[in-house]
Amino acid sequence: MKVKIFAAVLLLVCLCSSAYALSDAEYTNMMKDSSFAQADKQLTQAYRNALNTLKNYKTAQDKFRQDQRQWIASGRDEDAEAIMGRYSRVRAYTMATRARAEDIPSIAKKYLQEAQSSSRRTTAPAQSRTQARQQAQTRTQTPARTQTPARQTRQAKSSAMDTDGYPILGMCTGNSVRIRDNPGTKSKVIGAANENDMFVVLGIRHEDGAYWYAIDNPTDTGTAWISSQYVDTDKGDAYGTPAYNMALQIMMNFGITPQKARALYGKPENSEHEKFYSEITGGDMEEDTLEYDGFNLHYLDGLLNHVDVSGKDIAFGSLQIGDSEQKMRRVLGNPSGEGDEGCTYEISDLESLQFELRDGAISAMEWNHYLD
């Protein structure tokens, strides 16, 4: 099972004000208990299934995600505390997690019904509704047989790519989904994506009655295209911040997959590939490390999760080794944490940028995506 950014939020246990709150270290230790680990896995699967059910209703998805975040932040602790007097701490959290997993379908159904009752047409893009209304008016005012080829051509004309609000992360929701060199079903197939595969989405375009996402090609240089109906996008709480935008640029700079990294930089100076059993996922995971001159890349199940840069003239977003601390702060703002040797920018509870500083200049840089 792949560990991806969207699903990883379920493995996060946030620190909260309650004296009984589950710490990160305690959560990791609890995962060694087979019953708790199985309940957590059940919760993750229920969450994914619910997101898939709500994929055509973005508002419902957003509400459901927020509901789950609140439960992880405080609801799980409250549920466990209610029964902790009768059971051990691990058992109480196991029961609370399992109960949540069982409740998720009904929670998702509630948000789905709300979205459907408010409007059964919310899944249709605004542009498509406008076109449908215009076409209906045209049919009413002018018989179909009088439409000229020129009129039909204008109606089928494709739009320019919309890049407002991009780039963002995208996750594939199907298997063997075709990746093409241009938008449209007649374009050349250059690859395929499977469920939970991740990529950086650069924009969206309407072509021949459908919407297509432009993505940073995950296995080769350049841009590729994929049908939007098989992609789930999530801007997340950190969307639009300088640190979030730099993280996306780092993924594109170094390659979100090992194949992309090799396409960008060629054969690494050293590479390692391992397979190991993960207690968190309950299955085998693959680990790849690629070492290049001046930087190292680390991947889990084919997805970039760590970059460290020590060489000069290597782009780390818009920063490089030797840039001043003032420039770093000008680009990213004030850091989340500071120490004697450097500072950290927390993008989320699972993701951060770290900078080592020496004599007022950047001497090393890291991007990390944490996994419990």
Side-chain angles (χ1 to χ4, degrees), residues 237-273:
D237 295 334
Y239 168 73
T241 65
Y244 175 92
N245 293 335
M246 180 172 285
L248 292 182
Q249 188 59 55
I250 289 169
M251 293 179 194
M252 291 190 288
N253 282 353
F254 295 99
I256 199 168
T257 66
Q259 298 93 327
K260 178 74 171 192
R262 288 185 169 91
L264 291 171
Y265 298 103
K267 184 179 179 181
E269 294 182 348
N270 185 47
S271 64
E272 296 180 3
H273 177 83

Side-chain angles (χ1 to χ4, degrees), residues 96-367:
T97 301
R98 186 175 292 119
R100 177 68 177 187
E102 294 173 352
D103 289 341
I104 274 185
S106 61
I107 295 171
K109 183 178 180 180
K110 178 189 72 173
Y111 290 123
L112 177 62
Q113 290 175 338
E114 288 178 0
Q116 290 175 332
S117 62
S118 63
S119 175
R120 293 188 176 277
R121 297 189 299 169
T122 55
T123 58
Q127 185 176 3
S128 296
R129 292 199 299 269
T130 300
Q131 290 177 338
R133 185 164 56 250
Q134 291 173 343
Q135 291 173 359
Q137 292 172 349
T138 300
R139 287 195 297 269
T140 302
Q141 298 169 1
T142 308
R145 63 177 180 274
T146 64
Q147 288 189 347
T148 65
R151 179 187 296 271
Q152 294 169 348
T153 300
R154 286 195 298 271
Q155 289 177 347
K157 185 178 180 180
S158 62
S159 63
M161 184 171 74
D162 180 9
T163 59
D164 186 30
Y166 297 90
I168 54 177
L169 278 175
M171 179 177 71
C172 185
T173 60
N175 286 310
S176 300
V177 179
R178 295 177 177 87
I179 296 177
R180 300 177 181 273
D181 65 348
N182 281 293
T185 55
K186 296 181 181 179
S187 299
K188 181 181 178 181
V189 176
I190 57 175
N194 293 310
E195 188 174 7
N196 294 331
D197 282 353
M198 302 289 296
F199 26 71
V200 179
V201 180
L202 305 173
I204 190 169
R205 176 174 168 178
H206 189 261
E207 182 75 25
D208 293 335
Y211 283 84
W212 295 79
Y213 281 129
I215 62 174
D216 185 48
N217 192 326
T219 59
D220 205 347
T221 57
T223 302
W225 296 81
I226 187 171
S227 173
S228 66
Q229 65 177 311
Y230 299 109
V231 178
D232 182 20
T233 58
D234 185 1
K235 294 182 177 179
D237 295 334
Y239 168 73
T241 65
Y244 175 92
N245 293 335
M246 180 172 285
L248 292 182
Q249 188 59 55
I250 289 169
M251 293 179 194
M252 291 190 288
N253 282 353
F254 295 99
I256 199 168
T257 66
Q259 298 93 327
K260 178 74 171 192
R262 288 185 169 91
L264 291 171
Y265 298 103
K267 184 179 179 181
E269 294 182 348
N270 185 47
S271 64
E272 296 180 3
H273 177 83
E274 296 182 40
K275 182 179 287 188
F276 64 96
Y277 179 79
S278 170
E279 293 183 352
I280 295 177
T281 63
D284 289 335
M285 295 187 67
E286 295 187 359
E287 181 178 29
D288 288 278
T289 301
L290 307 182
E291 297 180 3
Y292 289 91
D293 183 21
F295 64 94
N296 299 317
L297 310 176
H298 185 264
Y299 298 84
L300 282 179
D301 270 4
L303 180 69
L304 184 68
N305 84 308
H306 175 81
V307 176
D308 67 76
V309 176
S310 58
K312 293 184 177 180
D313 301 323
I314 297 173
F316 189 80
S318 57
L319 296 174
Q320 294 182 356
I321 299 295
D323 284 341
S324 67
E325 180 180 352
Q326 289 78 4
K327 180 178 180 180
M328 178 196 72
R329 291 177 180 269
R330 189 166 61 250
V331 171
L332 294 172
N334 292 324
S336 309
E338 297 184 63
D340 294 336
E341 297 184 354
C343 59
T344 299
Y345 289 85
E346 296 290 345
I347 300 170
S348 71
D349 296 294
L350 294 170
E351 189 177 6
S352 71
L353 299 169
Q354 295 180 342
F355 296 89
E356 181 179 308
L357 300 172
R358 185 176 301 169
D359 298 328
I362 298 173
S363 58
M365 306 177 286
E366 291 186 10
W367 170 82

